[in-house]
Each structure stands twice: as C-alpha cells, then as structure tokens.
Amino acid sequence: MQQVQEKQPQQKVLVNHSEPQPSAYRPSPMPFVLATSAKVCYGLSAASLILSVTAWNRVRVSVPFTGKRGKKSAKANHKPTPRQYREAQRLGAFVGLLTPTLAVAGKILDDASERVAQYDFAQWEKKQAEKARSSAFRLFNR
C-alpha cells in the first residue's frame, strides 16, 4: 500500500508597500524605573516613621519578666536612667528626620517619571508626524 499525501494550496499574502506601516509606541523603561523607585521611597518613609516611634518609646516600655518561681526579676523593676531617655530621643529624632526626606525624594521621583513619560510620548508623536509629512509630500516632489 502506498500512502498518498495531498498538497494543500498555499495562500499568498499581499503586502502593500506604498502605505507606510505605523510603528507602535514602545515606551522606554525609564519612567517605570523612576516610578518604582518612588514607591520604594514612600515605603521606606512609612517604615522610618514606625521605627522612629519605636525607638523613641523603647525605654518607656518595660516588659515584666517572671522567673521560675513566679517572682518578678530585678529587670522588671528597673527604671530607665535619664541618659537612656536622651539616647532614645536622639535616635528617634534622627530616624524621624528620614521620614519627610524620603517622602520628598519619592515625590520628586514620581514627578520625574511623569515628565519623562510625557516627553518620551511627545518625541514619538513628533517622529510619527515627520514620517507622515514626508510621505505626504513625496507625491508633490515627483
């Protein structure tokens, strides 16, 4: 027995080269990188606020520790010294200063990403307009 394979007719695709094909807009990765960096700055700003409050109040919170026999240890009755209060306040203030700094940096990066995206799109539109104008005036140059 012989097997016979039928050939299917191939379809031809006609391509019209007289009309320019519009290229799709492909944004650059820079606005995405800037926007992601802005979100990271906002997150770090929130974390800085939480760390600041935690550092400021860490000496005021004393956790009672009970030993094996149910008696409170000497650590539970320990009161923080004025020096420990000052150190906690300094650390809390220092970490607290990072909160607005990171928030402002995030806002600047967010605005920059919008400006870069708008500029990128405007340049693409300008390039497309130049292509359209040059192909429209080709008819008159003949």
Side-chain angles (χ1 to χ4, degrees):
M1 293 176 108
Q2 283 184 333
Q3 293 180 351
V4 179
Q5 294 179 352
E6 294 182 21
K7 292 185 179 180
Q8 296 179 356
Q10 295 179 354
Q11 295 179 353
K12 292 184 179 180
V13 178
L14 298 176
V15 178
N16 188 358
H17 293 288
S18 62
E19 295 179 20
Q21 298 293 327
S23 62
Y25 173 67
R26 283 186 237 127
S28 69
M30 193 64 174
F32 177 74
V33 170
L34 290 172
T36 305
S37 300
K39 290 176 186 176
V40 168
C41 283
Y42 288 140
L44 289 175
S45 176
S48 172
L49 179 64
I50 292 168
L51 284 174
S52 173
V53 171
T54 303
W56 195 283
N57 292 324
R58 75 182 164 116
V59 293
R60 294 189 184 132
V61 179
S62 63
V63 178
F65 177 75
T66 57
K68 291 181 183 178
R69 297 186 180 162
K71 295 180 182 178
K72 290 187 177 181
S73 68
K75 271 190 168 181
N77 294 332
H78 175 71
K79 299 278 182 178
T81 64
R83 179 180 178 195
Q84 289 175 329
Y85 275 124
R86 286 192 309 271
E87 287 176 359
Q89 287 177 347
R90 280 190 211 124
L91 182 62
F94 176 73
V95 175
L97 288 174
L98 294 175
T99 301
T101 304
L102 290 169
V104 168
K107 177 65 175 158
I108 289 171
L109 288 170
D110 207 9
D111 291 345
S113 72
E114 289 178 12
R115 280 193 307 258
V116 168
Q118 288 175 353
Y119 177 78
D120 193 27
F121 187 71
Q123 291 300 316
W124 178 79
E125 278 185 324
K126 185 177 178 181
K127 192 166 102 175
Q128 292 301 314
E130 289 293 324
K131 284 182 183 177
R133 192 176 313 138
S134 65
S135 66
F137 285 113
R138 250 190 266 162
L139 298 174
F140 297 114
N141 290 337
R142 291 182 185 185

